Amino acid sequence: MAKKTEFSGRGSVMELPELRPPSNYRVIFFNDDYTTMEFVVDVLMKVFHKDRPDAVKIMESVHKTGRAVVGVYAYDIAATRRNMTINMARSEGFPLRCELEEA
């Protein structure tokens, strides 16, 4: 990592680390035998702001392949959406698994 040199105003030199943009995180849904397809579509529309055709495509991908990325966000946003998803699922009695993975 390259460092930038900056003067402190008193004649001394400080080495500052180069700043990097924050990492993004993938929000991933995993298939299970209990969570309904309609519930997954509903969560994708309400929490992830997908339109119905996109939500259905993502849900079908989860169902067919066992998992799918539903969005990529900065950590705080990804964690909030994951938590909202899990809370909605648990309140409806569904075991939907939703995890974060660094992009």
Side-chain angles (χ1 to χ4, degrees):
M1 180 182 331
K3 295 187 179 201
K4 294 183 179 179
T5 303
E6 190 169 292
F7 295 97
S8 68
R10 290 185 239 149
S12 61
V13 176
M14 292 176 37
E15 292 292 320
L16 299 176
E18 187 175 318
L19 298 178
R20 289 181 280 158
S23 297
N24 283 326
Y25 287 79
R26 294 179 198 91
V27 181
I28 303 168
F29 279 13
F30 292 86
N31 190 45
D32 64 67
D33 293 332
Y34 303 100
T35 306
T36 65
M37 293 179 183
E38 192 54 42
F39 178 78
V40 172
V41 169
D42 197 41
V43 168
L44 290 168
M45 291 171 61
K46 289 179 180 174
V47 177
F48 295 89
H49 309 290
K50 305 292 183 189
D51 60 18
R52 183 169 263 303
D54 285 343
V56 169
K57 284 180 192 172
I58 294 169
M59 176 275 299
E60 288 173 346
S61 180
V62 171
H63 183 68
K64 290 176 184 173
T65 66
R67 66 180 260 161
V69 174
V70 300
V72 179
Y73 309 96
Y75 178 79
D76 290 345
I77 295 168
T80 298
R81 291 183 187 203
R82 178 200 55 203
N83 293 341
M84 290 172 64
T85 297
I86 291 170
N87 289 339
M88 286 175 68
R90 297 309 174 268
S91 72
E92 295 293 322
F94 294 123
L96 179 62
R97 190 169 137 215
C98 178
E99 294 184 5
L100 301 183
E101 180 179 274
E102 192 167 1

